[in-house]
Amino acid sequence: MKYGFGIDLGGTTVKIAYFDETGKMLDKWEIPTVTENGGSRILPDIAESIRQYIDACGIADTAILGLGIGVPGPVNAKGVVNKCVNLGWGVFNISETLQSLTGFPVKAGNDANVAALGEFWKGGGQGCDNMVFVTLGTGVGGGIVVEGRLLHGAHGSGAEIGHMVLNRDETIPCNCGKRGCVEQYCSATGIVRMAKEYLARSEFPSVLRQKEELTCKDIFDAGKAGDPAAAAILDQFYNYMGEFLGNVCNVVNPEVVVIGGGVSKAGSMLLDGIQPYFQKYVFHAASAARFALASLGNDAGAYGAFKLALDAFG
Amino acid sequence: MKYGFGIDLGGTTVKIAYFDETGKMLDKWEIPTVTENGGSRILPDIAESIRQYIDACGIADTAILGLGIGVPGPVNAKGVVNKCVNLGWGVFNISETLQSLTGFPVKAGNDANVAALGEFWKGGGQGCDNMVFVTLGTGVGGGIVVEGRLLHGAHGSGAEIGHMVLNRDETIPCNCGKRGCVEQYCSATGIVRMAKEYLARSEFPSVLRQKEELTCKDIFDAGKAGDPAAAAILDQFYNYMGEFLGNVCNVVNPEVVVIGGGVSKAGSMLLDGIQPYFQKYVFHAASAARFALASLGNDAGAYGAFKLALDAFG
């Protein structure tokens, strides 16, 4: 039996997990992400933490097949990172660097893509060959699996579906600098913004008006409880999601669309809300895509990162 | 040296080409597509034509590595056709059927996807690993290559990008039954429709008003000659194309976007018109995609069909 590590590198913490080759997670822990000095300590910290773990557990180096790592930025199939703004990183080959620090072979991918691979392997996409994964959190991320393999894209930016344009006439800029991106409407942030706009322009009574700091959860809770303003806001969100995912499925034609991220905690209500709009916008030949919730939560990245290593070195 | 056949099955003619394994087209001819009786004669006709050719040229059966065929409808990776309305076909495995008729192994794909593979191999996408191919003709078709492999999709409907939604508020239905599809604006038919609408609602003088039967070529010719109405119509088309291809590239992140079909005869003027709008709508990390014109014309399907066979049996 061989073993390996899956590493999910985030802006504040690094999640590290130890797996056996069947994909069983045997252990996991976190270390802080130190972004000072251009993020120069991040990879040495990871290497040291893994070395300490191996030594403490008495694991033979020869039992380790390799490491996989998900990175919050574009990474191409060769492991070249093309700037991670929130880590302070420029352009370099992360696979080579982390390999020389640890002595183990390393495979890297974009964090959203890697999380998609995790859900494909052990989560909501299990048993499928083609999957679209979308995370609805502070932003909107994505990952695509085509015939069992992650779509990296030519520049490591495959599946940046949160920045597809939904509203060419939008006047407010997205974080990316463009206007009218999916992320401006379908992220948790976007839903709250749409709700505030709705409440400001309508006279409808709503429990949402009593909230000091309106959250996405408040809106789903109020919608579930029958608040008509919340229902109207969610309907707008479902409509956008249906068009957005319909368009993605017209490109990819997957068996399954897996939805993760904080917003997916709304559960089946979310899937039921999106489905009719998805059917309205998707091309008939791609309309059989099944919808599922992500099931690995914060572990998706670690699972996917290890799977990258397993596919490459296992 | 091995040889094989690439077959491009269309609604009126079947194009058949004979290749050597380096991809050199040695010969090509056409036979009519007989769609009567549910299209039951189509495959026997193809098998007979190939058999006659082999016998006439004295080719040994053992020199043939196999056949590839592009079909005007969805085909999954296993060769199951899921209805070709204009051939009268239902659901069946075309690879198995044509193999039993010819004695040679057969690989099948959707015609637009197969043409994409041809352009990827020997045309506008040569030397790339990731490509988006779009054909602008009577309709809008597409094909996508990811890390050298055709994206078939779970149900054989990958890259149906002509039916992504551009205008959710469109009232006129698309041929597919939905409203606001790319095909309604970016096909030759769509451009002419937009032009007629523009001319009807504006008072602008234009050479286009003198045409009895306005064609897409008229509009490009007038635009090139400086006709302001034609320029405004084309600007609207370029804007749609930029948004559409920006969204596709945000999903796929290709090195190259290859444009084919009748509209692509407009040449570099077309690429120059789309580029600024593409840059407006695409996510920065996917913005490096190069634009190119398809270069194989009507032979793209035969090249791609043979490449399917070569990849599978070569």
Side-chain angles (χ1 to χ4, degrees):
Chain A
M1 178 81 87
K2 288 269 190 175
Y3 303 84
F5 295 88
I7 305 157
D8 184 10
L9 171 51
T12 47
T13 58
V14 186
K15 297 184 187 73
I16 304 176
Y18 183 57
F19 292 88
D20 70 24
E21 66 188 1
T22 70
K24 192 173 170 196
M25 190 188 280
L26 303 171
D27 208 349
K28 65 173 170 173
W29 67 96
E30 295 185 6
I31 61 172
T33 306
V34 179
T35 55
E36 287 145 33
N37 298 315
S40 60
R41 272 186 52 193
I42 296 173
L43 294 181
D45 284 351
I46 291 171
E48 194 191 326
S49 180
I50 287 176
R51 176 52 56 195
Q52 281 175 355
Y53 184 83
I54 287 174
D55 291 347
C57 298
I59 302 162
D61 276 20
T62 51
I64 302 299
L65 61 87
L67 321 179
I69 183 166
V71 173
V75 188
N76 73 12
K78 296 182 181 111
V80 177
V81 170
N82 188 12
K83 294 180 191 165
C84 294
V85 182
N86 41 357
L87 302 182
W89 283 0
V91 178
F92 72 106
N93 191 308
I94 189 175
S95 296
E96 289 172 12
T97 308
L98 191 56
Q99 171 153 2
S100 72
L101 287 167
T102 60
F104 300 119
V106 176
K107 192 83 184 172
N110 167 269
D111 57 358
N113 290 352
V114 165
L117 189 61
E119 287 289 343
F120 175 76
W121 188 37
K122 294 288 182 183
Q126 269 182 89
C128 291
D129 284 326
N130 302 277
M131 180 190 76
V132 167
F133 176 62
V134 56
T135 50
L136 309 175
T138 316
V140 173
I144 291 168
V145 176
V146 176
E147 296 181 20
R149 307 187 332 162
L150 206 48
L151 184 157
H152 292 95
H155 314 94
S157 299
E160 284 286 4
I161 55 180
H163 296 282
M164 293 170 80
V165 174
L166 264 180
N167 273 332
R168 71 180 73 91
D169 301 322
E170 179 62 77
T171 53
I172 300 166
C174 178
N175 287 330
C176 77
K178 295 195 300 156
R179 287 175 162 76
C181 294
V182 165
E183 185 163 297
Q184 291 183 271
Y185 315 97
C186 298
S187 62
T189 329
I191 297 168
V192 169
R193 185 177 68 86
M194 287 199 295
K196 285 179 178 166
E197 284 176 13
Y198 180 91
L199 295 171
R201 73 167 182 266
S202 84
E203 299 285 314
F204 250 103
S206 170
V207 295
L208 299 178
R209 296 189 188 279
Q210 293 143 33
K211 304 285 172 184
E212 286 233 342
E213 236 175 282
L214 187 63
T215 67
C216 189
K217 184 172 184 304
D218 293 334
I219 299 164
F220 278 96
D221 287 346
K224 201 175 282 177
D227 184 88
I233 294 157
L234 289 175
D235 191 63
Q236 178 62 58
F237 161 69
Y238 294 144
N239 196 337
Y240 278 133
M241 283 295 294
E243 181 177 346
F244 156 50
L245 291 174
N247 280 341
V248 175
C249 289
N250 285 345
V251 180
V252 179
N253 181 209
E255 282 118 312
V256 66
V257 177
V258 177
I259 304 182
V263 177
S264 73
K265 288 178 186 156
S268 60
M269 174 187 180
L270 174 69
L271 306 188
D272 295 344
I274 297 169
Q275 258 295 338
Y277 288 109
F278 175 75
Q279 291 300 333
K280 175 179 173 186
Y281 293 113
V282 76
F283 187 54
H284 57 81
S287 65
R290 183 168 62 77
F291 278 57
L293 295 167
S295 64
L296 300 177
N298 287 332
D299 290 341
Y303 275 99
F306 173 66
K307 181 69 159 76
L308 270 186
L310 185 65
D311 286 347
F313 316 118
Chain B
M1 180 81 87
K2 289 269 191 175
Y3 303 84
F5 295 89
I7 305 156
D8 184 10
L9 171 51
T12 47
T13 59
V14 186
K15 297 185 187 71
I16 305 177
Y18 183 55
F19 292 89
D20 71 23
E21 67 189 359
T22 71
K24 191 172 171 199
M25 190 188 279
L26 303 172
D27 208 350
K28 65 173 171 175
W29 68 95
E30 294 186 6
I31 61 171
T33 307
V34 179
T35 55
E36 287 144 33
N37 298 316
S40 59
R41 272 188 50 194
I42 297 172
L43 295 181
D45 284 351
I46 292 171
E48 194 191 328
S49 178
I50 287 176
R51 175 53 55 196
Q52 282 174 354
Y53 184 82
I54 288 175
D55 291 347
C57 298
I59 300 162
D61 276 22
T62 51
I64 302 299
L65 61 86
L67 321 180
I69 183 166
V71 173
V75 187
N76 74 12
K78 295 184 182 106
V80 177
V81 170
N82 188 12
K83 295 180 191 166
C84 293
V85 182
N86 41 355
L87 301 183
W89 284 359
V91 179
F92 73 106
N93 190 310
I94 187 175
S95 296
E96 288 172 11
T97 307
L98 191 56
Q99 171 153 5
S100 72
L101 288 168
T102 59
F104 301 119
V106 176
K107 191 82 185 174
N110 168 269
D111 56 358
N113 290 352
V114 165
L117 188 61
E119 287 289 343
F120 175 76
W121 187 36
K122 295 286 180 184
Q126 269 181 91
C128 290
D129 283 327
N130 302 275
M131 180 191 75
V132 167
F133 176 63
V134 56
T135 51
L136 308 175
T138 316
V140 173
I144 292 169
V145 175
V146 175
E147 296 182 19
R149 305 189 329 162
L150 205 49
L151 185 157
H152 292 94
H155 314 94
S157 300
E160 284 285 5
I161 55 182
H163 296 282
M164 294 170 78
V165 174
L166 264 180
N167 273 332
R168 71 180 73 89
D169 302 323
E170 180 61 78
T171 52
I172 299 165
C174 179
N175 286 331
C176 77
K178 295 196 299 156
R179 286 175 163 77
C181 294
V182 165
E183 185 163 295
Q184 291 183 271
Y185 315 97
C186 299
S187 62
T189 330
I191 296 168
V192 170
R193 187 177 65 86
M194 287 199 295
K196 286 181 178 166
E197 283 176 14
Y198 180 90
L199 294 171
R201 73 166 182 264
S202 83
E203 300 286 317
F204 249 102
S206 170
V207 296
L208 299 178
R209 295 190 189 280
Q210 294 142 30
K211 304 285 174 186
E212 285 234 339
E213 237 177 279
L214 188 62
T215 67
C216 189
K217 183 171 183 305
D218 293 334
I219 301 165
F220 277 96
D221 287 346
K224 202 175 282 179
D227 184 90
I233 293 157
L234 289 175
D235 191 65
Q236 177 63 59
F237 162 69
Y238 295 144
N239 195 337
Y240 279 134
M241 282 296 293
E243 180 176 346
F244 155 50
L245 292 175
N247 280 340
V248 174
C249 288
N250 285 343
V251 180
V252 178
N253 181 209
E255 282 116 313
V256 65
V257 177
V258 177
I259 304 182
V263 178
S264 73
K265 289 179 186 155
S268 60
M269 175 187 179
L270 174 70
L271 306 186
D272 294 345
I274 297 170
Q275 259 293 340
Y277 288 110
F278 175 74
Q279 292 300 332
K280 174 179 173 186
Y281 293 114
V282 75
F283 187 53
H284 56 82
S287 65
R290 183 167 62 77
F291 277 58
L293 295 167
S295 64
L296 299 178
N298 287 331
D299 290 340
Y303 275 99
F306 173 66
K307 182 68 161 79
L308 269 186
L310 185 65
D311 286 347
F313 316 119

